[in-house]
Amino acid sequence: MKLIDTYEKDGITVEVNSLLTTKDSVIDIKQIFILNDVVYISFDTVQDRILMSETAEIFIWKYREYLNTLTKKVFTAQASCKCQTCQ
């Protein structure tokens, strides 16, 4: 088993420690791992506080509509504020 931090497919990116708020629940991504050349995503939800794992393909298929609405916000040191508080 190999742990990874990010999985991307068809322009959709899923990252470890992401909180995804869908119309049905809040999903907390706990782990992304590769086992026997298959990528799995482990997560729990606010309603079901048990760790669940699905293949990344199934996870993305189930939540595709929501995941397509996400926009990635990137924070870089060059674009950040230069004040003492932000440094």
Side-chain angles (χ1 to χ4, degrees), residues 60-84:
I60 289 173
W61 176 79
K62 284 172 68 174
Y63 300 106
R64 176 174 293 284
E65 184 178 312
Y66 171 75
L67 292 169
N68 281 329
T69 67
L70 298 177
T71 55
K72 185 82 172 161
K73 295 191 173 33
V74 177
F75 177 82
T76 62
Q78 294 89 5
S80 68
C81 177
K82 301 297 183 204
C83 74
Q84 288 290 26

Side-chain angles (χ1 to χ4, degrees), residues 6 8 11 15 17 22 25 29 37 47 52-53 63 66 76 79 81 84 86:
T6 304
E8 184 173 348
E15 295 178 341
N17 296 325
T22 69
S25 65
I29 307 297
D37 296 325
Q47 292 85 358
M52 298 172 270
S53 294
Y63 300 106
Y66 171 75
T76 62
C81 177
Q84 288 290 26
C86 295

Side-chain angles (χ1 to χ4, degrees), residues 9-22:
K9 179 172 173 95
D10 300 331
I12 295 174
T13 303
V14 180
E15 295 178 341
V16 173
N17 296 325
S18 295
L19 283 175
L20 308 175
T21 306
T22 69

Side-chain angles (χ1 to χ4, degrees), residues 23-39:
K23 64 181 179 183
D24 300 327
S25 65
V26 176
I27 300 167
D28 187 4
I29 307 297
K30 300 293 188 181
Q31 275 186 339
I32 303 172
F33 60 93
I34 301 170
L35 182 63
N36 297 330
D37 296 325
V38 177
V39 179

Side-chain angles (χ1 to χ4, degrees), residues 41-59:
I41 296 176
S42 292
F43 61 96
D44 67 8
T45 65
V46 171
Q47 292 85 358
D48 302 314
R49 280 301 194 190
I50 57 172
L51 189 62
M52 298 172 270
S53 294
E54 294 181 339
T55 66
E57 301 276 332
I58 300 278
F59 182 85

